[in-house]
Amino acid sequence: MLYMEISSWEPENRDKILEHFKELKVPAGINIVNQWVDLTGGRYFILYECDDAEAFAAFNLPWSDVCYIDCVPVMKSTDFISVMSRKS
């Protein structure tokens, strides 16, 4: 399954965020598709695949002390249209 995450943090946590990025280890079961940083600061966007709840937790829990994570399951719009067409 694909997930789009938007992580945001308070300006005073910037240095902690940078340290987390330096130590980032992506666990087995997480396949990062792409990632972006908000050039105005304070937000990070990542699109990844994951079908393993343990990998999902291992990837996200280490960040819970320095930022807010908004995670949404997503799919390509063409795939969504195909799925919904089969339901009709």
Side-chain angles (χ1 to χ4, degrees):
M1 177 167 272
L2 279 173
Y3 294 94
M4 172 61 78
E5 278 188 9
I6 302 170
S7 299
S8 57
W9 54 88
E10 302 297 333
E12 61 268 15
N13 285 336
R14 185 196 68 208
D15 292 342
K16 291 178 185 176
I17 291 291
L18 291 174
E19 287 304 314
H20 271 61
F21 272 114
K22 289 178 188 176
E23 298 171 11
L24 177 64
K25 292 181 179 80
V26 179
I30 300 286
N31 177 36
I32 295 176
V33 176
N34 213 330
Q35 46 196 326
W36 306 267
V37 175
D38 180 347
L39 295 179
T40 63
R43 288 190 305 177
Y44 169 71
F45 305 85
I46 182 169
L47 179 66
Y48 63 92
E49 294 175 299
C50 179
D51 292 322
D52 179 343
E54 287 185 35
F56 182 88
F59 191 53
N60 285 292
L61 287 176
W63 294 88
S64 63
D65 64 332
V66 294
C67 66
Y68 307 102
I69 299 173
D70 186 18
C71 185
V72 180
V74 296
M75 69 173 26
K76 292 180 183 177
S77 59
T78 52
D79 294 343
F80 178 76
I81 291 168
S82 177
V83 167
M84 295 311 291
S85 295
R86 290 192 302 260
K87 299 269 184 200
S88 300

